[in-house]
Amino acid sequence: MRFASHRDVARAFERGVRRAGLPVAYSAGFTPHPKISYAGGAPTGVASEAEYLSLALTTRHGMAAVRERLDAALPDGIDVIDVTEDAGGFPASRLSASEWQVILPGLAPDSVAPAVQEFLALEHAPVERLTNKGVRHMDARSAVLALDVRPGSGDATLRMVVRHTVPAVRPDDVLTALRDVSGVVPAAPPLMTRLAQGPLADLPEMS
Amino acid sequence: MPRFYDVHYLPDGRIGQVVPNRPGVPLSVRKHTLMDLDAWPYPRRPVVPVAETVHERYSVEIFRGCTRGCRFCQAGMITRPVRERSITTVGSMVAGGVRATGFAEVGLLSLSSADHSEINEIAVDLADCYEGTNTGLSLPSTRVDAFNVTLANELSRNGRRSGLTFAPEGGSERIRKVINKMVTEDDLLRTVTTAYASGWRQVKLYFMCGLPTERDEDVLAIADLARRVIAAGREATGRRDIKCTVSIGAFVPKPHTPFQWASQCPAGVVDERLRALGAALRSDRAYGRSIGFRYHDGAPSIVEGLLSRGDRRVGRVILAAWRDGARFDGWSEYFSYERWVASAALALAGDPVDLDWYTTREREYDEILPWDHLDSGLDRDWLWQDWQDAVAAGGAAEVEDCRWTPCYECGVCPAMGTEIQTGPTGERIDGKRLLPVLTDGGR
């Protein structure tokens, strides 16, 4: 599922809603669309344990039944963890930061720790990324609220809390900055996973 | 299968013979024909990939085979005879498919879907069943016929009417007779007028360039046709915001068709005709802005022609191109015609054949073609006669559709022990028996 784009995931979800037989509401207009709003999805290539969306139904249903039916109808790898009633207004704006895990194949934790310290000591870490709107410039450092290397052996594992900004600073932008400050380059593409997202206060404290 | 046959070549490069090289192998390999499509309502458990598919919809095949007799069309030749699925099987396949996949659109597919003997009932009943469910129904209709517009209207009852597509394939009446696509200009104008008048804003017309016997004026006639289409549409609707898009690509001769002996038109000739057509369309002050023009260059079609009618020796060309880095050749930004020309020259250097020999060379009756030992039931002499009829000096002879007129002796039914299977069955899709897509109740 890590390689499915956010649009593919959205389509898979819409098919799941129809398979589940849930009476989803449709927008009025020339081309009616199911009323489903997605919060900023994880980038393509990044796995996620914490995506949020809101779905409007035409009739009232029990939360547990909706969760069960959706979960059963969706493909493996898209699991519905919880369903809650949304009193009004989609809470995308309340999701102000994400916690990410990044595994760096072929790099020992000890070799990455100094680079992390160097990065955290920076005031700004300008990076650029080519998007389909052209080259975007952003400050990877100022979006990072916490960053550390997990203790242990094996491949180095980073945990980071990154503020949701526009344009978004993604974990690979932070890796670009790390490479820029200290030449840290993993032997294979890093394995990135979004672990959580939410209001800043609710995210787990970084040790 | 290739390893069960040895191919011997003549000194000039043509095939001398194709012979089985071990006991128990037949001289030719026959196709299998499934005769009762209602007994095979497949797929029962459709696979739905997470990634978006090319046509993001559930497809239901409503019949197999086509007897229109378009001379360029391989599918229409090798899938004979016509075998329909019954209206009730179609109804249950649509219901089951939508339920199993969650797709928001269903396509009623086949080679010429509007020819199903009960297509009108299928369209009306499905539109009734799925009204208000946000399930789209579509018919990939490409035959020029006002009835197809009526069907499209029915299927889009609750949706928007954006574009309809028709495939006259040839710009002039003369060339349409050559390819046996029996559409008169009046048919076409009547059809598009109906479409525009029913609220369709855009009509897309498909054509081919480089057809046998084609001359410059056959292609330029497309510009006149497009102008008349716009004029008719403006008159029918009183509006100026209607559009017509001309989409054209080069013809590639296919095995098992009457055009399997034809010379493929050189890429330079195709490109020059397309350039002239584009210029004629763009220079038109009154209608030019209402006419869109999309085309494919001639060069990639020459490579398609090499692959279409190639023999075993072409395998070496493909390998050489791959070794030289050919990847994703269907994407124009990766396609290199020069690479294929060089690969063909390299791989065929020791043989008396080359790229032109496979593509632009016309074949004679006596030549053994690389696919002659594959038997789709078509009588080779009938194919040859149809080819001669197409290019006859006095103008092409037309072949009727054996679905409605007597057998024209293509040979398939007697050779395969099959016969045409069409309705009407007189049955209807019962809306109450079809489960609606969206239910409020549990599962």
Side-chain angles (χ1 to χ4, degrees):
Chain A
M1 215 42 84
R2 119 181 4 253
F3 297 109
S5 71
H6 71 279
R7 294 192 56 203
D8 279 338
V9 172
R11 274 187 287 263
F13 190 81
E14 283 162 32
R15 289 193 297 267
V17 168
R18 291 171 64 89
R19 276 203 297 268
L22 291 170
V24 63
Y26 277 78
S27 64
F30 208 48
T31 41
H33 285 290
K35 284 192 177 174
I36 304 174
S37 323
Y38 304 88
T44 306
V46 178
S48 179
E49 301 292 345
E51 298 296 299
Y52 291 80
L53 58 82
S54 106
L55 166 71
L57 301 182
T58 56
T59 51
R60 187 164 278 275
H61 282 257
M63 300 301 114
V66 171
R67 193 208 69 79
E68 244 166 65
R69 280 164 68 178
L70 268 177
D71 195 47
L74 285 165
D76 288 348
I78 303 181
D79 301 315
V80 181
I81 310 289
D82 197 12
V83 173
T84 59
E85 195 154 349
D86 182 6
F90 180 53
S93 57
R94 301 206 294 273
L95 303 174
S96 49
S98 288
E99 185 191 9
W100 308 88
Q101 172 184 283
V102 180
I103 299 173
L104 302 168
L107 290 177
D110 290 348
S111 68
V112 179
V116 168
Q117 291 315 314
E118 265 185 79
F119 172 83
L120 289 173
L122 293 173
E123 205 156 311
H124 298 287
V127 291
E128 54 185 44
R129 173 156 42 89
L130 184 65
T131 73
N132 51 13
K133 288 175 185 159
V135 177
R136 289 304 186 92
H137 299 271
M138 52 212 116
D139 181 4
R141 177 63 193 90
S142 68
V144 173
L145 301 167
L147 171 65
D148 67 11
V149 189
R150 310 311 279 179
S153 53
D155 292 336
T157 300
L158 300 176
R159 287 285 183 94
M160 59 180 90
V161 177
V162 183
R163 195 199 318 266
H164 293 173
T165 55
V166 179
V169 171
R170 308 192 310 203
D172 48 320
D173 297 319
V174 177
L175 292 184
T176 303
L178 280 176
R179 188 198 62 203
D180 289 349
V181 292
S182 62
V184 166
V185 178
L191 282 174
M192 299 184 270
T193 306
R194 176 185 255 160
L195 298 177
Q197 55 175 330
L200 268 178
D202 292 358
L203 285 171
E205 286 289 315
M206 298 290 293
S207 55
Chain B
M1 196 175 74
R3 68 195 161 105
F4 298 136
Y5 294 84
D6 290 333
V7 182
H8 303 282
Y9 298 100
L10 300 171
D12 65 6
R14 289 179 302 154
I15 292 172
Q17 55 176 346
V18 178
V19 284
N21 56 18
R22 62 193 75 186
V25 175
L27 278 172
S28 69
V29 182
R30 275 199 162 186
K31 75 166 179 182
H32 174 75
T33 308
L34 173 65
M35 284 313 292
D36 185 2
L37 288 184
D38 285 332
W40 296 87
Y42 279 59
R44 283 203 198 274
R45 292 176 58 82
V47 174
V48 184
V50 171
E52 185 181 20
T53 51
V54 173
H55 295 290
E56 183 79 353
R57 64 185 176 207
Y58 186 67
S59 298
V60 173
E61 186 185 35
I62 64 173
F63 66 83
R64 286 187 192 169
C66 176
T67 42
R68 289 264 156 197
C70 303
R71 293 182 172 119
F72 54 83
C73 178
Q74 186 189 54
M77 294 289 163
I78 65 174
T79 62
R80 296 174 180 205
V82 167
R83 290 147 288 149
E84 290 186 353
R85 275 208 167 95
S86 71
I87 178 169
T88 45
T89 303
V90 170
S92 61
M93 284 177 73
V94 170
V98 167
R99 206 164 46 230
T101 63
F103 279 130
E105 186 184 334
V106 178
L108 303 174
L109 302 196
S110 55
L111 294 173
S112 180
S113 293
D115 285 342
H116 192 289
S117 63
E118 287 177 299
I119 189 63
N120 193 46
E121 289 80 358
I122 290 175
V124 170
D125 290 1
L126 287 178
D128 283 349
C129 287
Y130 293 95
E131 191 159 353
T133 65
N134 290 294
T135 304
L137 299 164
S138 70
L139 201 62
S141 92
T142 50
R143 199 157 58 77
V144 181
D145 188 327
F147 172 61
N148 276 5
V149 180
T150 314
L151 283 178
N153 290 348
E154 196 57 41
L155 293 175
S156 65
R157 214 191 274 168
N158 315 301
R160 62 178 174 154
R161 293 182 181 170
S162 48
L164 270 188
T165 302
F166 300 102
E169 311 286 5
S172 69
E173 211 136 323
R174 189 194 71 79
I175 202 80
R176 288 196 292 273
K177 279 190 179 156
V178 170
I179 61 179
N180 201 45
K181 190 99 186 185
M182 289 180 288
V183 179
T184 65
E185 189 159 334
D186 287 344
D187 286 340
L188 179 66
L189 291 174
R190 205 166 27 245
T191 305
V192 298
T193 303
T194 311
Y196 287 126
S198 318
W200 299 90
R201 286 281 153 264
Q202 179 165 341
V203 166
K204 202 189 280 181
L205 301 176
Y206 280 171
F207 295 95
M208 282 187 282
C209 180
L211 291 161
T213 78
E214 181 181 277
R215 297 185 292 260
D216 293 353
E217 57 264 32
D218 294 311
V219 178
L220 280 174
I222 296 169
D224 293 326
L225 203 55
R227 276 192 285 268
R228 295 187 57 189
V229 162
I230 293 296
R234 285 184 185 171
E235 194 183 315
T237 60
R239 306 170 62 129
R240 294 181 64 83
D241 64 346
I242 52 153
K243 284 206 70 172
C244 165
T245 300
V246 169
S247 186
I248 184 165
F251 165 65
V252 177
K254 310 287 194 309
H256 304 286
T257 67
F259 288 168
Q260 65 182 355
W261 290 280
S263 150
Q264 185 174 351
C265 189
V269 177
V270 167
D271 288 343
E272 178 52 30
R273 283 179 187 156
L274 294 182
R275 191 202 56 74
L277 173 61
L281 289 172
R282 274 188 292 272
S283 69
D284 192 298
R285 283 168 169 257
Y287 299 114
R289 295 181 68 174
S290 298
I291 302 172
F293 182 51
R294 300 173 63 88
Y295 65 95
H296 293 284
D297 292 328
S301 300
I302 290 294
V303 177
E304 289 169 20
L306 171 73
L307 303 178
S308 167
R309 291 192 294 174
D311 53 35
R312 294 174 180 204
R313 292 168 291 192
V314 171
R316 300 202 300 262
V317 181
I318 298 169
L319 185 61
W322 180 80
R323 284 193 172 135
D324 191 44
R327 302 285 189 282
F328 294 108
D329 281 59
W331 296 357
S332 55
E333 67 268 40
Y334 286 96
F335 176 76
S336 163
Y337 184 57
E338 292 68 31
R339 168 184 285 140
W340 281 94
V341 171
S343 300
L346 181 75
L348 301 172
D351 287 290
V353 298
D354 58 17
L355 182 56
D356 288 346
W357 188 88
Y358 282 109
T359 55
T360 57
R361 179 180 64 98
E362 184 171 335
R363 279 73 159 166
E364 295 297 325
Y365 173 81
D366 290 328
E367 179 167 345
I368 294 173
L369 302 172
W371 48 90
D372 276 348
H373 59 299
L374 306 180
D375 182 9
S376 60
L378 293 160
D379 180 352
R380 195 178 193 273
D381 283 335
W382 178 81
L383 277 178
W384 175 262
Q385 187 55 49
D386 205 39
W387 165 230
Q388 297 304 303
D389 287 348
V391 297
E398 294 169 42
V399 180
E400 297 281 330
D401 188 335
C402 69
R403 188 194 293 243
W404 295 288
T405 58
C407 173
Y408 46 67
E409 287 157 359
C410 72
V412 169
C413 289
M416 297 288 154
T418 57
E419 59 184 8
I420 281 183
Q421 283 188 353
T422 58
T425 61
E427 296 176 11
R428 298 299 292 249
I429 302 172
D430 178 357
K432 293 191 190 71
R433 267 195 295 129
L434 274 182
L435 286 179
V437 191
L438 301 173
T439 54
D440 287 0
R443 296 201 296 170

